[in-house]
Amino acid sequence: MTTVLAVETSCDETAVAVVKGRQVLSSIVSSQIDLHRAYGGVVPELASRQHLETVNPAIAQALEAAGLSWAAIDGIAATVAPGLVGALLVGTMAAKTLALVLEKPFLGVHHLEGHICASYLEQPQLQPPFLCLLVSGGHTSLIHVQDQGVYKTLGQTRDDAAGEAFDKVARLMGLGYPGGPVIDRLAQTGDPTAFVLPEGKISLPQGGYHPYDSSFSGLKTAMLRLTERLAQSGPLPTADLAASFQAAVAKALSNRAIACAQDFGLKTIAVGGGVAANSGLRALLSTEAAKRNIQVLLPPLGLCTDNAAMIACAAAEHLARGRVSSLKLGVQSRMPLENVMRLYV
Ligand code: KG4
Ligand code: ZN
């Protein structure tokens, strides 16, 4: 069984984990949320500096928590794309240095492939093909997982990502950052049918709608107008607004994911990314998919949000197939998931 230590520093979490095959031996996540909260979003320069301070202690802690020595580690991995370049560089340089000094293979990992592989940690028997609904702060994608490293993006957002929409709507309601968890909590006590909101369908030039793409900008604008109007007549009914907004997002994502799985004959939908933690989405997708005999995999919350165990898992899958990366591999702020195999030699 391949054992990999991985470092993830693509955004605002410094994470290090050790994974053996599809089993998590340790997973350390040091969040920077408090550091960025005052700014209402991630400040790239602050993120890099914080990663630099945290990464070495986190590596030592992950190895110790796994109860292993370096001799038991078969490969060292890091997220190399996509993400904040300065932040990615910190984790990648740390991993490459360890690989060089310890004479072990280095593997660069695509962050989104990591989110897909989180489902392997939850369900070790899972094998492609399956559909992955990836919903994070930066991405809203429906991905046809054809083989390890072979992905086809079938649907995506035309504007804001789902998590971004949660964050922006929370900000306009004055709820703070990050918005997803706050809206989710408020929605528990609200009425999801209180307000009628658009579902964000994409019209096609030839008529009809795109079956898998989505848009959240119309929904965001509708929320802005609604809050402006409601604010004139007293305190905002925040719970009802949160519940209605969450229901609209959950419906948009569930409908498209199920249509896509059905059209491509896929019997499993694996959900990943921070928004996979959303209770409204989890409930609706599970119920609707079950009616159509489609299995839904919902990893535990700690595997949905950014972590290094999912990165180590992706790397272990590639290393087990004899793939490694060059130490000359650089980091990239953007990279299509379709290019994953170019990371390996
Ligand atoms: O995957 P992730 O941790 O980071 C990346 O973007 O890669 O996702 C973060 C996003 C944020 O936008 C956050 O608001 C959202 O996930 N999120 C949620 C929930 N928990 C986190 N959105 C909706 N409901 C939640 N419970
Ligand atoms: Zn992520």
Side-chain angles (χ1 to χ4, degrees), residues 1-303:
M1 204 77 85
T2 315
T3 305
V4 170
L5 177 138
V7 185
E8 150 66 45
T9 59
S10 67
C11 191
D12 60 346
E13 253 100 36
T14 315
V16 184
V18 179
V19 161
K20 185 174 186 179
R22 291 178 169 189
Q23 189 198 347
V24 183
L25 300 186
S26 66
S27 179
I28 308 293
V29 181
S30 167
S31 172
Q32 302 181 357
I33 284 181
D34 290 339
L35 180 70
H36 301 288
R37 184 169 280 127
Y39 306 92
V42 179
V43 183
E45 181 62 24
L46 289 183
S48 315
R49 286 166 191 253
Q50 187 63 36
H51 285 313
L52 209 49
E53 294 212 357
T54 324
V55 73
N56 285 340
I59 290 171
Q61 224 183 321
L63 195 65
E64 196 191 325
L68 298 179
S69 69
W70 284 112
I73 304 292
D74 300 312
I76 298 168
T79 307
V80 292
L84 303 169
V85 165
L88 286 168
L89 268 174
V90 176
T92 300
M93 290 313 293
K96 280 185 184 175
T97 307
L98 284 168
L100 193 67
V101 170
L102 299 166
E103 297 183 350
K104 304 215 183 250
F106 165 71
L107 291 101
V109 175
H110 192 292
H111 183 79
L112 298 192
E113 184 176 40
H115 276 300
I116 294 169
C117 291
S119 287
Y120 294 141
L121 298 170
E122 164 70 0
Q123 176 105 337
Q125 300 81 25
L126 178 65
Q127 294 295 345
F130 59 91
L131 183 70
C132 177
L133 169 63
L134 187 57
V135 275
S136 69
H139 298 269
T140 303
S141 308
L142 281 164
I143 299 153
H144 186 177
V145 180
Q146 299 174 340
D147 202 348
Q148 187 65 37
V150 186
Y151 306 104
K152 185 149 179 41
T153 305
L154 300 174
Q156 53 200 325
T157 173
R158 297 289 180 94
D159 38 60
D160 289 349
E164 204 177 350
F166 270 97
D167 293 337
K168 288 180 177 171
V169 165
R171 194 180 312 159
L172 69 87
M173 286 168 64
L175 298 176
Y177 161 88
V182 191
I183 291 189
D184 199 347
R185 211 173 318 120
L186 265 175
Q188 311 291 328
T189 55
D191 173 8
T193 62
F195 303 103
V196 179
L197 293 163
E199 208 196 298
K201 289 185 174 161
I202 303 286
S203 304
L204 294 172
Q206 65 271 31
Y209 297 104
H210 192 291
Y212 320 129
D213 279 3
S214 49
S215 159
F216 292 107
S217 69
L219 178 56
K220 197 180 60 191
T221 310
M223 288 297 290
L224 178 64
R225 295 280 131 74
L226 196 55
T227 43
E228 280 172 351
R229 185 165 59 77
L230 292 168
Q232 290 172 355
S233 52
L236 280 180
T238 44
D240 285 350
L241 281 168
S244 302
F245 169 74
Q246 179 164 299
V249 176
K251 190 172 160 206
L253 296 173
S254 298
N255 284 352
R256 286 164 183 73
I258 288 170
C260 194
Q262 285 186 310
D263 293 350
F264 284 80
L266 301 168
K267 300 307 282 172
T268 303
I269 301 174
V271 192
V275 184
N278 186 262
S279 60
L281 175 64
R282 291 171 91 89
L284 185 70
L285 184 60
S286 308
T287 318
E288 293 303 312
K291 288 182 197 161
R292 296 162 180 89
N293 269 332
I294 296 171
Q295 181 197 20
V296 174
L297 285 181
L298 294 160
L301 305 195
L303 287 174

Side-chain angles (χ1 to χ4, degrees), residues 318-335:
H318 287 296
L319 188 56
R321 289 165 176 78
R323 300 172 197 151
V324 299
S325 300
S326 160
L327 280 175
K328 291 186 187 144
L329 182 69
V331 302
Q332 286 179 52
S333 60
R334 298 169 152 266
M335 180 193 258

